[in-house]
Amino acid sequence: MSDHTYKKVEIVGTSTDGIEDAVNSALKKASESIHNMRWFEVKEVRGNIDKDHVDHWQVTMLVGFTLDD
């Protein structure tokens, strides 16, 4: 097993469908410019309330990726 050096970036995903969808859509978009993504860590979950129910989810996360050799 080789040693790796990682970098972390913070991204925020949003969705009207739920937390998991917010995470997946953010990772999909991030993969367009961040390569070698390995893990994520959810830092914060927020939501917008409209008419007494959750209208929109917002998930802040750290994404870790390996740096190129």
Side-chain angles (χ1 to χ4, degrees):
M1 179 176 163
S2 62
D3 293 331
H4 295 288
T5 300
Y6 295 93
K7 181 172 179 75
K8 296 188 291 187
V9 295
E10 186 173 273
I11 63 174
V12 180
T14 63
S15 173
T16 56
D17 293 327
I19 295 169
E20 186 175 353
D21 190 57
V23 169
N24 284 323
S25 65
L27 292 174
K28 182 177 179 181
K29 184 64 177 175
S31 72
E32 294 174 10
S33 58
I34 301 171
H35 306 287
N36 304 319
M37 291 191 302
R38 300 291 184 236
W39 52 267
F40 72 94
E41 173 186 343
V42 173
K43 289 181 59 180
E44 184 175 37
V45 176
R46 291 186 300 274
N48 180 52
I49 301 169
D50 185 31
K51 297 178 184 168
D52 299 328
H53 74 279
V54 176
D55 180 56
H56 210 94
W57 293 95
Q58 187 177 47
V59 180
T60 303
M61 67 189 94
L62 293 173
V63 176
F65 59 95
T66 56
L67 297 175
D68 293 336
D69 291 334

